[in-house]
Amino acid sequence: MEESSIEESVASVLEEAKELQEAVSGHISKTSSDEQPLRQRALRLDSRIHSLRSSLDSLLSNKLIPHSLADKLDEDLQRARCIIVDGDASSLLPGHAQGSFLRMFLGPINVRASRKDVQLKVKEEYNSYRDRTALLFLLFPAILLILRSWIWAGCLPAFPVQIYQAWLLFLYTGLALRENILRVNGSDIRPWWIYHHYCAMVMALVSLTWEIKGQPDCAKKQRGVQLFLQWAMMQGVAMLLQNRYQRQRLYTRIALGKAKRMDVVWGETAGVDGQLWLLCPILFILQGFEAYVGLLLLKTTFVGVVAEWQVIFCGVLLVLMAVGNFANTVQTLMVKSRFKAKMRRSKSKQRLD
């Protein structure tokens, strides 16, 4: 290629790049101007749905409208809101503000996806992460307890336990980051469960500085660690059950327009009646066992077996998390009970009609 020819080609490429940049800038500007009326329309419609719900509640409280009609209208309003917040129009509505946790790890980066398919990929990755970690949550402490009995003569070495605690820190940090991003993108995950993972992160970080005591009286000194590993195994079983059963129920609710595609299941939720009888006892046993482990850690400090501030700190955190989990589980069951009573009223009214 001659010198003059290559100069012309380079000049042509440069000019074409400038034209492409101008065309793309014009397209973005046009898209933004076209989007503004749609954004205002979406905000007006969302405000109207909230206003109609308030009016419906007022009419119902003053007994100016039958319960059956109120239930039907409320369900229709719920479906209308699901259509808005669960489709492409959701990007036009204001989302949850990014909390300090996300800013601390990621800086002032906007993590809200503008397209619904991208948001759903975030949720799929979160579910995949939970599936992987649930199995590890069960296997990791089980392996430690088996090795303790068969190889380590009933006394856990410090290093494997610290590896497990470091993995817990990684696990809970990953869950908290993903749940914050899900919340920004429209998920209904309850704030308590994110705060619960903050507490678990802090506890895992503090436990890394906790000196694991050995002989003499190893079994007595490591009683709290042993119980915590047993509780973690039960937690792994509960997570596997939730992942299998509750997610199927959530997909059904999404298909009926009673839940959003970005919604997720976690420890506070319960499925249909059969799942309720299976999961709720497990959840309550876990919460009671969690509180018991916390109190046992506090007891070992007070009687002088292990007098370290890390033990007191972890014991208090375990008790607080158990109480918070119990309160949120009961609250969810009460909401579910009211919803079922409402459905029974609606069905009985249909039979009478």
Side-chain angles (χ1 to χ4, degrees):
M1 186 177 289
E2 297 180 359
E3 182 179 342
S4 58
S5 176
I6 195 169
E7 285 183 6
E8 290 176 0
S9 297
V10 170
S12 173
V13 167
L14 179 60
E15 188 63 30
E16 188 175 348
K18 291 179 180 178
E19 290 175 357
L20 178 61
Q21 172 60 28
E22 290 175 0
V24 172
S25 297
H27 172 72
I28 292 174
S29 177
K30 183 177 182 300
T31 302
S32 298
S33 61
D34 291 344
E35 184 182 281
Q36 192 58 31
L38 292 175
R39 187 182 300 277
Q40 293 174 353
R41 182 179 173 186
L43 290 172
R44 284 197 301 269
L45 184 57
D46 188 53
S47 175
R48 189 179 173 195
I49 289 173
H50 285 293
S51 176
L52 284 171
R53 271 190 164 165
S54 299
S55 300
L56 190 61
D57 290 340
S58 177
L59 289 171
L60 190 59
S61 62
N62 292 323
K63 298 182 179 179
L64 298 175
I65 186 172
H67 270 284
S68 56
L69 179 58
D71 292 342
K72 180 182 179 302
L73 295 176
D74 184 64
E75 188 173 338
D76 289 343
L77 286 174
Q78 175 65 21
R79 287 198 177 120
R81 175 151 176 80
C82 275
I83 291 172
I84 297 173
V85 301
D86 210 26
D88 294 326
S90 62
S91 62
L92 304 175
L93 297 172
H96 292 284
Q98 292 184 198
S100 56
F101 184 80
L102 278 179
R103 289 196 298 272
M104 179 176 64
F105 277 90
L106 305 178
I109 298 174
N110 183 17
V111 295
R112 190 183 186 196
S114 58
R115 289 166 42 194
K116 199 64 183 179
D117 59 331
V118 178
Q119 292 180 347
L120 292 174
K121 284 180 180 177
V122 173
K123 177 188 170 182
E124 289 171 7
E125 199 283 329
Y126 170 75
N127 285 334
S128 175
Y129 183 77
R130 280 193 57 195
D131 290 338
R132 296 193 307 269
T133 54
L135 190 58
L136 285 174
F137 216 110
L138 174 62
L139 292 179
F140 211 145
I143 291 171
L144 287 177
L145 289 172
I146 291 171
L147 291 175
R148 172 184 175 271
S149 299
W150 290 1
I151 297 177
W152 293 327
C155 192
L156 286 164
F159 185 63
V161 176
Q162 288 173 337
I163 290 177
Y164 174 63
Q165 291 163 342
W167 177 78
L168 284 179
L169 177 60
F170 170 79
L171 163 68
Y172 287 123
T173 304
L175 282 172
L177 281 170
R178 286 166 172 80
E179 287 162 356
N180 273 280
I181 293 172
L182 279 171
R183 189 163 172 78
V184 170
N185 282 280
S187 177
D188 72 335
I189 188 165
R190 284 191 176 183
W192 161 250
W193 299 106
I194 302 178
Y195 298 147
H196 173 270
H197 290 147
Y198 293 162
C199 293
M201 284 170 52
V202 173
M203 186 175 67
L205 183 62
V206 170
S207 64
L208 279 170
T209 67
W210 176 3
E211 182 184 358
I212 305 297
K213 301 291 186 180
Q215 300 292 357
D217 295 330
C218 179
K220 189 175 182 180
K221 293 175 181 177
Q222 293 188 357
R223 179 64 176 160
V225 178
Q226 180 187 353
L227 286 174
F228 180 81
L229 292 174
Q230 292 172 355
W231 169 82
M233 289 175 59
M234 294 174 62
Q235 177 72 17
V237 172
M239 289 171 67
L240 288 170
L241 288 171
Q242 289 166 338
N243 291 352
R244 178 177 177 182
Y245 295 114
Q246 293 181 325
R247 202 173 295 160
Q248 294 174 357
R249 177 60 178 167
L250 179 62
Y251 290 151
T252 303
R253 287 177 55 78
I254 291 171
L256 294 173
K258 297 178 181 179
K260 299 178 291 183
R261 286 185 291 172
M262 283 301 293
D263 290 350
V264 295
V265 295
W266 190 241
E268 83 281 10
T269 54
V272 294
D273 290 337
Q275 301 169 24
L276 191 72
W277 288 107
L278 175 66
L279 286 174
C280 280
I282 293 177
L283 291 176
F284 287 131
I285 290 170
L286 272 172
Q287 291 154 9
F289 199 20
E290 186 178 22
Y292 172 69
V293 174
L295 292 173
L296 183 70
L297 290 177
L298 294 175
K299 180 183 176 182
T300 59
T301 305
F302 294 141
V303 298
V305 177
V306 182
E308 295 179 350
W309 70 269
Q310 293 96 331
V311 181
I312 300 175
F313 191 88
C314 291
V316 171
L317 269 182
L318 280 171
V319 173
L320 289 177
M321 287 191 293
V323 172
N325 290 342
F326 177 79
N328 275 267
T329 303
V330 170
Q331 182 182 1
T332 301
L333 291 176
M334 291 175 64
V335 171
K336 186 174 289 291
S337 176
R338 287 196 293 268
F339 175 77
K340 288 181 178 179
K342 179 172 146 183
M343 292 299 293
R344 282 195 295 269
R345 286 199 305 269
S346 180
K347 287 180 181 178
S348 62
K349 177 64 177 177
Q350 289 174 0
R351 285 195 294 267
L352 289 174
D353 293 341

